[in-house]
Amino acid sequence: MSDPYQIERERMVESQLKKRGIHNSQLLEAFSKVPRHQFLPRNLRSEAYTDGPSPIGEGQTISQPYMTALMTLSAEVAPGDRVLEIGTGSGYQSAILAELGAEVYTIERIPELLEQARETLRQLHYDKIHARLGNGTLGWEEEAPFDIILITAGAPEIPAPLLDQLAIRGRLVIPLEEGYSHVLYVVRRSPKGFHQERGERCTFVPLIGEYGWGRNPRTKWGKLRKDS
Ligand code: SAM
């Protein structure tokens, strides 16, 4: 069956990714292939290829295509990499990672979003993605270590359990709060320790949970528990 959004998707790849300097051919191929509109609620599908984040329900968003691409590129995904994603959301980022040959583990804290993402991924035959409900700031200890950890929500600091679960030579990509928005950081682990690189400014919904924010924005989880 022909895809009514194929032309819009190609335009997105040209104007939002290539024009901003993303030229990795495997990555561009993955973005050309994955039907992003199917990860959005039916009434919002017509905005699936616009240059920004879109609502997916429960007050959450699917990230801007460029941001999904930048995070994936920064993580230097190679086939066979074990990748942990924190914040399944719509499931779109997981599908892109799977297209690049990664073995994907993804955690979402909101049950309704997880169920919807699982259903979308099932319909599109991404059968090998492991998705579960939970507080991703604690990681997925039974499956660690991971070659890559992608945190797709904005954090006050790097959750310590995630650093512990990163393999030697692994990469962790995380938006960290700085001022009124976030900055994308890439943390690399070597036998000698961790090395952090600062990247582009960005804006994300909050990472909520122990080692993240409290449910009340701008309150850290530990402080929230002490006060409540
Ligand atoms: N990667 C997603 C996609 O491709 O659609 C977009 C993620 S959205 C920007 C951030 C997601 O992180 C939200 O769905 C939110 O519920 C989730 N989230 C926030 N804190 C979390 C936590 N501690 N553990 C797991 N998921 C969390």
Side-chain angles (χ1 to χ4, degrees), residues 60-61 85 87-90 93 108-110 135-136 152 205-206 208:
Q60 305 302 319
T61 54
E85 178 196 21
T88 313
S90 68
Q93 171 84 76
E108 172 56 53
R109 66 177 281 274
I110 300 178
N135 167 16
T152 68
V205 293
I208 294 176

Side-chain angles (χ1 to χ4, degrees), residues 36 39 53 56-64 68 71 85-95 106-110 113-114 132-138 151-154 203-210 212-213:
R36 191 173 189 271
F39 293 83
I56 53 170
E58 310 300 325
Q60 305 302 319
T61 54
I62 180 174
S63 304
Q64 178 196 26
T68 304
M71 291 186 82
E85 178 196 21
I86 311 302
T88 313
S90 68
Y92 179 67
Q93 171 84 76
S94 301
T106 181
I107 308 178
E108 172 56 53
R109 66 177 281 274
I110 300 178
L113 292 183
L114 180 72
R132 79 157 165 83
L133 191 67
N135 167 16
T137 68
L138 301 173
I151 296 100
T152 68
T203 305
F204 275 85
V205 293
L207 180 74
I208 294 176
E210 200 175 346
W213 294 108

